[in-house]
Amino acid sequence: MFETEFCKVEYLEKYSAVFCQWKKFCKSDDYRNPFEFGLKLIFDQNATAWITDTTNGFENEPEDTQWLLENFIPKTINSSCDTIIFIIKNNSPLKNEIDEQTKALSQYFNVKRIESLDEISL
């Protein structure tokens, strides 16, 4: 498990998934390190899903979004992960950002949106 004041990342064996739970705004290494740890978990565990809890999420800094697209996503595409799940409330202020991410990620992954971890069906 990886945990900081900004994020918690762990492997959920029940779902064969990396679970990334954001706690509060962060950027640069504080944002990128949880993704790097999660990517290592994907490869170590042959995880088939990545779950991001956006309940306490935030809009990304442009530099971090660019890093995500240029570094993290290409590595994830070449892994055992084939599903991305966003936990997001219907009235979330991140709805537009998650809509855009869903659109982009759907080219490579099965993308799902749910309101709570209890709704997962893989």
Side-chain angles (χ1 to χ4, degrees), residues 48-95:
T48 57
W50 179 283
I51 305 165
T52 296
D53 184 348
T54 69
T55 304
N56 297 311
F58 47 87
E59 289 191 30
N60 295 343
E61 292 289 312
E63 298 82 13
D64 289 329
T65 298
Q66 184 176 349
W67 174 86
L68 205 66
L69 295 172
E70 293 176 357
N71 294 284
F72 177 75
I73 297 301
K75 292 176 186 173
T76 308
I77 289 168
N78 293 316
S79 74
S80 56
C81 182
D82 61 8
T83 301
I84 306 286
I85 300 171
F86 291 104
I87 298 175
I88 182 169
K89 301 291 182 201
N90 281 333
N91 61 349
S92 171
L94 297 176
K95 185 180 179 319

Side-chain angles (χ1 to χ4, degrees), residues 74-117:
K75 292 176 186 173
T76 308
I77 289 168
N78 293 316
S79 74
S80 56
C81 182
D82 61 8
T83 301
I84 306 286
I85 300 171
F86 291 104
I87 298 175
I88 182 169
K89 301 291 182 201
N90 281 333
N91 61 349
S92 171
L94 297 176
K95 185 180 179 319
N96 290 339
E97 182 173 342
I98 299 301
D99 285 347
E100 289 300 314
Q101 288 186 21
T102 298
K103 190 174 169 181
L105 293 170
S106 291
Q107 299 174 55
Y108 309 103
F109 305 97
N110 177 19
V111 182
K112 300 177 182 183
R113 293 163 58 155
I114 58 176
E115 287 199 40
S116 74
L117 196 56

